[in-house]
Amino acid sequence: MNKIITVGREFGSGGRELGKRLADLLHIAYYDKEIVTEIAKKTSLAESYVHQVMEHNPTIYYPITIGHSFYPMVNPIMDLNNSIYVEQSRIIKEMADESDCVIVGRCADYILRERKPMRLFVYADMQFKMDRCRKKAPSDEEPLSDKELKQHITSIDKNRSKYYQFFTGQKWGERINYDFCINTTNLSIKEVALAISRMF
Amino acid sequence: MNKIITVGREFGSGGRELGKRLADLLHIAYYDKEIVTEIAKKTSLAESYVHQVMEHNPTIYYPITIGHSFYPMVNPIMDLNNSIYVEQSRIIKEMADESDCVIVGRCADYILRERKPMRLFVYADMQFKMDRCRKKAPSDEEPLSDKELKQHITSIDKNRSKYYQFFTGQKWGERINYDFCINTTNLSIKEVALAISRMF
């Protein structure tokens, strides 16, 4: 069985950087946006649509409750979203079967649970995440106000949380679902990557 | 400023072992039960009483609410408990000023927050904690049933959580209050200690 590291991460916490550094240090494959590209290829959907479904509009996954009974929302959008998740699971399992790798996001910790990945969750203080987002923002973009940026970060994480909970039945970021939870606020991501890589 | 590692831990998770291993690897001081001994010396209370207050009966710290107003419970027991906390804070700060060290439990992460310690929280699945407790139990003791052992573990952690929340105003085990949260269920404590020691 290949060795797998999965990285759940709060938006702006540096989780992607940590995942990338780990993959580079260990000379193993790194999958992040590649998963979206692969799903788009397999489903003939636009990458931007797949990304939208996976990150920005998970409320439409939500099942509806009528009275005390529970009915899944049966409609074409729901079917499509489920198809994307099924395709995502298949692709992630293929990637994990192919070689040792780091996979960022996409419920990979849950999808690969039988392969016993090392499951990381990366988080940070809001101020740290805001500062990091500002540094990473394209210079030609109108900067958001503090309030807007905070709302943006909170909203992305809320959607990730809903998406994760819907498909895994687990709570996103809850420590028992991970092996290491790493707060990047006061730590050097480079050093954390080095330390974790030595345990792999 | 000395380098400090604080270790919060669920009962049975191996947090103490991780703390001890870290201190040994780094050749720095290790404080755990020593804190209780010191408090007992300074307050002239029995060690067993100090331990009881700190770990097993924090409900008596709880303030009482009358109507919609909030009154601290003013009585000799409450005073004594507060005195123990004050003494504990003083001793922990002294220890941190003296040399680099690892301090297990006792709200040290909060008490030393201005000294920016590396704050670890160690936890594990219930089954792992139960197995670990059984292995560590003295052989001449009547073994607890699974139900009793689970209740025992849950109850100790509930008390630790109440104690921590009362004196720090923070939630015990909540990831944002720590730099690393470590799930020992699937990890080798020896290897985790080695990895963390390299970041120190």
Side-chain angles (χ1 to χ4, degrees), chain A residues 45 48-58 60-61 80-82 84-85 163:
Chain A
L45 294 166
S48 58
Y49 179 78
V50 176
H51 182 70
Q52 167 81 6
V53 167
M54 291 170 78
E55 289 260 4
H56 296 299
N57 199 0
I60 52 173
Y61 302 100
L80 198 52
N81 294 335
N82 280 338
I84 290 176
Y85 183 76
Y163 183 88

Side-chain angles (χ1 to χ4, degrees), chain A residues 102-140:
Chain A
V102 175
I103 303 179
V104 176
R106 280 90 197 181
C107 309
D109 55 311
Y110 180 80
I111 292 167
L112 300 176
R113 64 195 177 283
E114 281 163 20
R115 290 165 174 80
K116 301 271 173 217
M118 182 187 278
R119 302 158 302 168
L120 312 184
F121 187 84
V122 184
Y123 61 101
D125 287 357
M126 180 54 80
Q127 192 56 53
F128 175 90
K129 294 187 287 188
M130 287 168 71
D131 293 346
R132 196 175 159 90
C133 286
R134 289 208 189 284
K135 270 182 220 154
K136 299 261 169 191
S139 56
D140 58 343

Side-chain angles (χ1 to χ4, degrees), chain A residues 19 48-50 52 69 82 87 101 116 146 157 181 189:
Chain A
S48 58
Y49 179 78
V50 176
Q52 167 81 6
S69 304
N82 280 338
E87 198 53 48
C101 61
K116 301 271 173 217
D146 276 4
D157 281 351
C181 302
I189 293 178

Side-chain angles (χ1 to χ4, degrees), chain B residues 116-194:
Chain B
K116 301 270 173 217
M118 182 188 279
R119 303 158 301 168
L120 312 183
F121 187 83
V122 184
Y123 61 101
D125 287 356
M126 180 54 80
Q127 191 57 54
F128 175 89
K129 294 187 286 187
M130 286 169 70
D131 293 347
R132 196 176 158 91
C133 285
R134 289 209 189 284
K135 270 182 220 153
K136 299 261 168 189
S139 56
D140 58 343
E141 249 181 31
E142 183 75 27
L144 297 178
S145 70
D146 275 3
K147 194 181 163 191
E148 286 167 337
L149 183 54
K150 199 171 166 178
Q151 275 173 347
H152 179 66
I153 292 171
T154 307
S155 148
I156 290 179
D157 280 351
K158 206 170 162 186
N159 288 342
R160 284 181 180 173
S161 173
K162 281 184 186 171
Y163 183 88
Y164 185 87
Q165 184 143 9
F166 185 82
F167 283 113
T168 70
Q170 296 183 164
K171 209 171 155 195
W172 184 74
E174 191 167 58
R175 61 170 194 256
I176 203 64
N177 302 322
Y178 306 91
D179 299 300
F180 273 108
C181 302
I182 302 154
N183 182 348
T184 47
T185 310
N186 300 312
L187 299 173
S188 143
I189 294 177
K190 196 175 163 185
E191 281 183 38
V192 173
L194 206 57

